[in-house]
Amino acid sequence: DPRTADEIRELLARDLESAETGTVTQMFRELLASETPDLVGRKIGDWTLTRSLGVGGMGSVWLADRSDGRFEGQAAVKFVNVMHRGSTGVERFKDEGTALARLTHPNISRLLDAGVEPSGQPYLILEYVDGVRIDVWCDEQRLTVVQRLAVFAKVCAAVEHAHSHRIIHRDLKPSNILVTQDGVVKLLDFGVARLVQQDRDQRAQAPLPFTPAYAAPEQRAGHGESTATDTFSLGVLLHVLLTGSIPASPAPTASGVASKMSTAHAATRNSSPHAIASALRGDLDAILEAALAIDPARRYPSVAALIGDLQSLSASRPLVVRRGPMIERVAKFVRRNRLRVAAGGAVLMALALGSVVSVRQAKESALQRARALNAQELSRASSDMQTQMLAMYGPGGRALSQTERLLKARAAIELQYRNQPAILSSLLSTLSDQYADVNDLANQRELMFAAALAARRAQNTSMEAKALCLGSYIHLQANQPDSAALLLAGGMTLLPSARVDSSGAIIACNTARAYTHSMQQRFDSASILTTQSIRLLEQSGDTLSTNYSTAINNLGGTQLQAGRVRGAEASFSRLASILPRIGRENTDNMAVARGNQVAAIMAMGELRRALDVLRLELRRVQGVEQVVNFPVIYRYRHYQILARAEQWDSVIAVTLPLVRDSLAQIPPVQYEAHLALTDAYLAKRQLTDARREWKAAMAWANKAPPQPRLLMLRANISAAFLAQSDGIAPALDSIETFIKRVTKRDGGGDFFLFPALLRASQYAAELGDGPRALSFAQLALRSASVDSVALTQSAFAGRAYFAEARAHALLRDPSGARRSAEAARAPLRFGYGADHARVRELERWLADSLPR
C-alpha cells in the first residue's frame, strides 16, 4: 500500500535517534528496503556465497561454494533476519543448529557447520539440496497413488526419526520437502523446530512462525505444539499428494474430493477420477481421518503408528484405525497369503488346530522358562549392584556421597551388562529411582531414558513402555510437559503389543496420564487411573513397594485438588501406615505423607485434631537422624495450623525462627511465613512489626508460585491495612472486588476464599449493613462445607454460623440469630477445642445478646 508506506517513511524520518536499534524500526526498514542486500562474494568460514536461494520465516538462505581449496562442494548458508536479532531470535536460531546436529537420517538435510560472525550475525551451513517440491515432483513424474504413498512413507520416517530425538518440526509443508533428481526425499528447514525439552517459560516467549494451511488447529489457536502437531501436518501433506488440494474444514472424505477431480488433474496421477476415488475409499480415508482429527488425542498417537498403518495397507493387513468387517479382513488375509491358502485347502481343520495348540503350548513353556531364568539373573544382578555400591570408596578411602556412589554404579553396570540389555534396563531404572531420593531430577530422567533405550535393544516392549512412561512422569515433575507428552505417547503406543502380564507398564503409564490429567484439572479421570493402578498392584500382591506408596500418595493429592478432602485425608493416613513397612519411616516420604494428612485435616476445619496429629509426629521424630527438610515441612504445617486457630503468640514463636533459618529459604514457605507473621502482628495491633513483615513478604512474592490461597491471604491483609488507614468501608469494597475477580463458583463459594468471605461479613456487620453481612456469612458457610460432616466438626463452619447469627441480630431476627448461634456451638468446640477463645466468645454473646 503506497500511501501507508509513505506514512511509515515519514514516521521513521521523525524517529528518535535512540530508536535506531529498536526491533520495530529495524523491521520496517528491512521491509521498506528497495533491494535485498547483495551478499554475493561474501566469505562465511570456508564458504563463499554465490547467489540467493530465497527468504523464509526465520532467515535468508544463500548458495555457497567451498573456498578453502581442500575439496569442491556446495552448501546452503542460512542467516537470521534482522528483525529476529533479539535474544529470542538468536536463541531460536541456536535451537535450529542444536536440532539439526542431532539428526542423521538419509531423508533429512544435514548440518555441516554453524557459527556467529564478528558482527553478531548467526549462521548455519546446511547440506544444499538441489531438488523440486515434493508435490510438484510427484505430479511431474505422474506417480500413482501407490507410488505417492511410498514417497510419503519416506517423509514419515524422517519425521519419526526427529521425534525419537525429541524434536518437533512444526512447519511440515511441500516447500520444506524436496526431491532430488535421483529421487531422494529431503526434509528441510528446522528453523522453526521446537525442542520438546524446552521448558514452559521458553515456549511462552514469542510465537514461532508456521504455515496456516498446514498447521494443526491447536497450533493456529496458540495452544502449544506436540508430536501430534506434526502428525496433523503430515495428514494435510498426504491429502495434497493424493487429491491435489488442502483438506477443507469440516473435511469431506478424500475419496469424495477425488471423485470431483478434473480429468487433467487425475492424469498427473496416471489415473482417472473414478479410479483414484476407489483407491482412496475405505482404508486411506480412515488413515487421513485419524491423522487430521481436530482433537490431538484422537489422532495417531505417534508417527510410528501412522507408518504402521501405511505398512499394513501395502501388505493387505487390517489397519489399527479401521477394523473392517470380517469378510474384508478374510479377503485381505487371502490376498497376502494366496499360496498358503491354496495349499492348505486339503488339510484337515482338526489337524491344523491341534498343531496350532501344540506350537502355542511349546512356545508358552519356553517363554515361562526364559522368564524364570531372567528373574534369577536379574535378582542376582540387583544384589551384586547393591553390594558393590556399599563397598565403593573414594581416593584414600574417602567415603562417597550418594550422588558419587550412583555415578560410579552406573558406569560399572553399563560396562558389566552392556551385552545383557534387559538386565541393564532394569538396573538403570533402579538407579533412577535412587536419584529420586536425592531429588536429582536431571540424572533421574536421563537414567530412565537410558533404561528405555536398553529395553529397546532387548526387544522387551513391556520394559520399554514402562521406562518411557516413568520418564514422562519425571519430566512432568520437572515441569517439562512437552518432553513428558512425547515420552508418554511412545509408551502408550507400545502398550498394546506388550506382554499380557505387563501390569508394571500399565501402572507407569497410568501414573503419567493421571499426573497430566491433574495438571489439566481433570481430577475424576486422574482418580480413576490411579485407583486402577492401586488395584493392579493389590491383585499382584505388590503392596510393599514404592510403586504402591507412590500411587496412594498420588490418589490423595488428586482427591485434595478435587475438593474431596476427607477422602484425601484417609489416603494420606493410609500412606503413613504403609511407609514403615517398607523401611521409609524416617525419610522425607513420611514427612510429606504426614504433612499432607495434616493439610487435609486443616482443610476440613478440624484444627485441634490437625495439631494433635502433628504433635504426635514431632514427638516420634525427636532424636531421629533425619533429612534436612523434616523440620521445614513440619514447622511449615505447624504455623499454618496455629494461624488458622488464631493462636497469634504461638504463630510468632514458631514462625520467627523459621524465617531466619538458612535451611528453610524456600520461596512459598518464606512468603506464607511472612504473611502469617503480618497477620499475627495486625491481630495484636503491632503495626510497626506488621509493616516490616509485610515488606519482607512482598520481597518473596515474585519468587513463589501463584496459589489462590496465598492470593486470598495477601488480599485479606491488604484490606486489614486499608481498614487501619482509610476505614472499614473501602476495606470492604476491596475484599468484595477481590472475591468477584477470583471466584470460580457462582456466588463465590470457593474453599480458599473462606477467610475473605468471613472478614467481609465482619466488616459489613461493623458498618451496620445486615443484608450484606448475612450474604457474606452464608457464602462463607458454603465455602467451609467441604462435606456434610464439616457442618458439625469444622471450626470454619462454626465461625460462619456465628457470623450468620450476628447478621440475623442486626436484621432484628432473634430466632434466626439463636438458631445460627446454636448451630455454631458444636463445630467450634470440635474444631478448636472446648477452651478456645472463640468458643468462650460465642457463649458470652449468647448470654448477653440473646438471653432466654
Side-chain angles (χ1 to χ4, degrees):
D1 180 356
R3 182 178 174 182
T4 303
D6 288 341
E7 291 177 357
I8 291 173
R9 288 191 181 93
E10 183 180 352
L11 288 168
L12 288 172
R14 298 178 182 179
D15 208 356
L16 296 173
E17 195 68 22
S18 61
E20 283 297 309
T21 58
T23 303
V24 176
T25 301
Q26 289 205 35
M27 181 177 68
F28 275 126
R29 291 191 187 284
E30 179 84 1
L31 293 173
L32 292 169
S34 57
E35 296 180 2
T36 56
D38 187 3
L39 302 180
V40 173
R42 185 169 174 177
K43 292 200 66 173
I44 305 294
D46 297 328
W47 303 85
T48 301
L49 305 185
T50 57
R51 65 181 172 89
S52 173
L53 293 175
V55 178
M58 275 298 299
S60 59
V61 187
W62 293 76
L63 182 64
D65 289 335
R66 184 85 182 200
S67 57
D68 63 352
R70 294 175 60 192
F71 59 86
E72 294 183 357
Q74 290 184 314
V77 178
K78 185 169 183 180
F79 297 102
V80 68
N81 281 338
V82 173
M83 69 182 73
H84 292 301
R85 272 197 195 165
S87 60
T88 303
V90 172
E91 285 305 313
R92 252 185 251 157
F93 210 72
K94 289 179 180 177
D95 283 350
E96 179 178 7
T98 304
L100 284 171
R102 289 161 52 188
L103 302 181
T104 53
H105 190 276
N107 299 117
I108 295 178
S109 173
R110 290 181 298 118
L111 172 69
L112 303 177
D113 199 0
V116 179
E117 291 194 283
S119 64
Q121 171 74 68
Y123 62 84
L124 298 175
I125 299 177
L126 307 161
E127 174 189 1
Y128 171 56
V129 180
D130 185 8
V132 181
R133 282 173 47 137
I134 186 171
D135 54 342
V136 174
W137 187 83
C138 288
D139 287 352
E140 288 176 349
Q141 301 296 316
R142 298 171 65 87
L143 297 188
T144 64
V145 167
V146 172
Q147 290 170 327
R148 287 168 188 258
L149 288 173
V151 174
F152 176 72
K154 294 178 181 178
V155 179
C156 291
V159 176
E160 169 60 18
H161 176 76
H163 287 184
S164 71
H165 286 75
R166 295 182 287 176
I167 298 168
I168 302 169
H169 188 286
R170 277 193 97 253
D171 198 23
L172 294 167
K173 57 185 177 182
S175 60
N176 276 337
I177 307 166
L178 302 185
V179 185
T180 67
Q181 291 180 348
D182 299 329
V184 178
V185 177
K186 287 286 186 179
L187 182 55
L188 313 178
D189 199 357
F190 277 78
V192 292
R194 187 187 295 278
L195 298 184
V196 176
Q197 72 266 29
Q198 286 178 312
D199 63 27
R200 188 173 297 171
D201 292 337
Q202 287 175 304
R203 291 187 294 105
Q205 285 177 354
L208 298 181
F210 57 81
T211 306
Y214 288 82
E218 68 273 13
Q219 194 177 7
R220 294 195 297 268
H223 294 159
E225 303 84 28
S226 65
T227 54
T229 304
D230 281 352
T231 302
F232 186 92
S233 299
L234 286 171
V236 178
L237 175 65
L238 180 58
H239 196 282
V240 169
L241 294 180
L242 297 178
T243 70
S245 63
I246 300 287
S249 182
T253 60
S255 58
V257 173
S259 66
K260 299 175 183 177
M261 186 185 296
S262 68
T263 304
H265 201 162
T268 62
R269 286 149 179 79
N270 205 19
S271 189
S272 67
H274 176 73
I276 294 173
S278 297
L280 303 188
R281 190 172 296 114
D283 284 348
L284 277 171
D285 275 342
I287 287 173
L288 283 164
E289 182 183 0
L292 294 169
I294 300 299
D295 182 358
R298 297 180 66 84
R299 290 178 209 148
Y300 280 104
S302 67
V303 177
L306 170 58
I307 293 171
D309 264 359
L310 290 173
Q311 292 171 341
S312 295
L313 181 68
S314 64
S316 296
R317 293 193 300 266
L319 306 186
V320 171
V321 295
R322 181 173 182 262
R323 188 173 177 84
M326 177 63 73
I327 189 168
E328 184 177 319
R329 283 182 273 144
V330 171
K332 287 183 177 182
F333 177 82
V334 171
R335 279 202 298 274
R336 67 177 186 269
N337 297 280
R338 288 185 177 91
L339 293 176
R340 281 187 288 171
V341 170
V347 179
L348 291 174
M349 184 62 70
L351 180 60
L353 288 174
S355 298
V356 169
V357 170
S358 298
V359 170
R360 184 174 296 171
Q361 288 175 340
K363 285 184 176 179
E364 183 62 27
S365 297
L367 185 62
Q368 293 293 346
R369 287 195 300 273
R371 286 178 185 170
L373 183 61
N374 289 339
Q376 289 177 358
E377 291 180 353
L378 178 58
S379 176
R380 189 183 306 114
S382 298
S383 177
D384 288 346
M385 182 186 73
Q386 297 298 337
T387 302
Q388 289 177 26
M389 286 182 68
L390 290 173
M392 287 176 179
Y393 291 95
R398 177 179 63 84
L400 297 176
S401 68
Q402 178 71 348
T403 300
E404 289 173 321
R405 288 181 189 277
L406 291 171
L407 285 171
K408 283 183 172 289
R410 178 181 181 179
I413 66 173
E414 284 183 333
L415 179 64
Q416 184 176 353
Y417 298 103
R418 61 185 181 277
N419 296 323
Q420 295 174 275
I423 292 178
L424 177 61
S425 176
S426 182
L427 295 180
L428 288 173
S429 181
T430 301
L431 281 182
S432 177
D433 288 342
Q434 293 188 30
Y435 269 111
D437 291 339
V438 293
N439 199 30
D440 187 344
L441 291 176
N443 273 309
Q444 190 183 2
R445 59 178 180 259
E446 182 189 339
L447 271 170
M448 196 58 74
F449 191 68
L453 294 178
R456 183 176 297 177
R457 281 175 51 212
Q459 298 183 337
N460 190 319
T461 309
S462 301
M463 290 180 70
E464 184 181 356
K466 180 180 179 180
L468 287 172
C469 288
L470 287 174
S472 173
Y473 180 60
I474 297 165
H475 277 281
L476 286 169
Q477 291 176 306
N479 198 23
Q480 296 175 329
D482 280 352
S483 297
L486 184 60
L487 292 171
L488 179 58
M492 292 299 295
T493 303
L494 294 172
L495 268 187
S497 56
R499 294 202 318 253
V500 176
D501 62 344
S502 57
S503 59
I506 296 171
I507 291 163
C509 293
N510 278 359
T511 301
R513 290 169 67 198
Y515 200 108
T516 302
H517 286 319
S518 292
M519 291 173 66
Q520 298 166 346
Q521 297 190 333
R522 296 163 61 187
F523 301 119
D524 287 340
S525 299
S527 294
I528 290 169
L529 287 165
T530 308
T531 302
Q532 182 191 35
S533 295
I534 292 170
R535 287 175 180 168
L536 282 171
L537 288 163
E538 289 172 345
Q539 288 168 7
S540 65
D542 187 12
T543 58
L544 296 178
S545 68
T546 55
N547 289 333
Y548 189 65
S549 59
T550 299
I552 300 293
N553 184 67
N554 291 346
L555 178 61
T558 302
Q559 291 169 320
L560 194 59
Q561 288 178 292
R564 294 191 288 274
V565 185
R566 205 164 294 278
E569 194 265 327
S571 294
F572 291 129
S573 176
R574 178 183 176 189
L575 175 61
S577 68
I578 291 170
L579 290 172
R581 302 206 304 267
I582 59 175
R584 291 182 173 264
E585 185 175 16
N586 297 315
T587 65
D588 55 350
N589 299 97
M590 176 63 89
V592 170
R594 282 296 186 209
N596 287 340
Q597 182 189 1
V598 167
I601 298 172
M602 277 194 291
M604 293 184 289
E606 299 174 16
L607 303 179
R608 181 182 58 174
R609 186 162 74 92
L611 195 57
D612 288 343
V613 170
L614 181 61
R615 284 173 174 164
L616 187 65
E617 182 66 10
L618 288 172
R619 283 198 295 272
R620 185 188 71 80
V621 301
Q622 280 180 352
V624 175
E625 184 179 352
Q626 52 200 238
V627 292
V628 168
N629 63 347
F630 258 29
V632 175
I633 292 173
Y634 290 140
R635 288 150 69 194
Y636 173 57
R637 294 302 185 202
H638 198 181
Y639 77 66
Q640 282 185 322
I641 299 172
L642 295 171
R644 285 158 178 74
E646 299 180 296
Q647 297 181 23
W648 303 120
D649 289 331
S650 297
V651 169
I652 295 168
V654 168
T655 313
L656 274 178
L658 185 66
V659 299
R660 296 165 182 165
D661 188 344
S662 61
L663 298 176
Q665 301 305 301
I666 305 166
V669 173
Q670 290 294 320
Y671 180 38
E672 187 170 355
H674 284 292
L675 288 176
L677 284 170
T678 306
D679 215 14
Y681 285 128
L682 277 172
K684 292 170 66 65
R685 301 188 181 280
Q686 297 174 214
L687 296 183
T688 302
D689 292 326
R691 291 191 183 96
R692 181 193 68 236
E693 294 303 328
W694 176 254
K695 184 177 179 180
M698 293 306 99
W700 284 98
N702 292 331
K703 301 174 186 176
Q707 296 180 30
R709 180 174 51 80
L710 295 182
L711 288 173
M712 181 283 307
L713 187 54
R714 179 173 174 172
N716 224 15
I717 293 172
S718 294
F721 275 123
L722 191 62
Q724 296 275 358
S725 59
D726 295 0
I728 299 296
L732 176 57
D733 290 341
S734 171
I735 290 183
E736 191 167 15
T737 299
F738 170 78
I739 292 168
K740 289 177 179 178
R741 179 166 56 86
V742 301
T743 188
K744 294 179 182 177
R745 290 169 56 183
D746 182 30
D750 306 76
F751 171 73
F752 75 90
L753 281 175
F754 173 81
L757 293 165
L758 193 68
R759 180 161 284 185
S761 179
Q762 172 195 333
Y763 284 169
E766 289 181 26
L767 291 171
D769 189 341
R772 287 175 84 189
L774 181 59
S775 175
F776 281 120
Q778 290 172 341
L779 288 173
L781 180 60
R782 178 184 171 191
S783 173
S785 303
V786 294
D787 55 33
S788 57
V789 179
L791 293 175
T792 59
Q793 295 186 354
S794 169
F796 305 141
R799 293 285 304 280
Y801 276 129
F802 193 4
E804 195 178 69
R806 291 177 184 274
H808 279 301
L810 269 176
L811 293 169
R812 302 183 185 281
D813 178 11
S815 60
R818 178 165 292 281
R819 186 171 57 250
S820 296
E822 293 288 353
R825 184 177 276 134
L828 283 176
R829 284 175 173 271
F830 190 95
Y832 282 133
D835 59 345
H836 193 272
R838 289 292 180 185
V839 176
R840 295 195 298 272
E841 180 187 8
L842 172 67
E843 299 298 345
R844 285 197 304 271
W845 188 84
L846 273 168
D848 297 341
S849 302
L850 297 173
R852 291 188 180 275

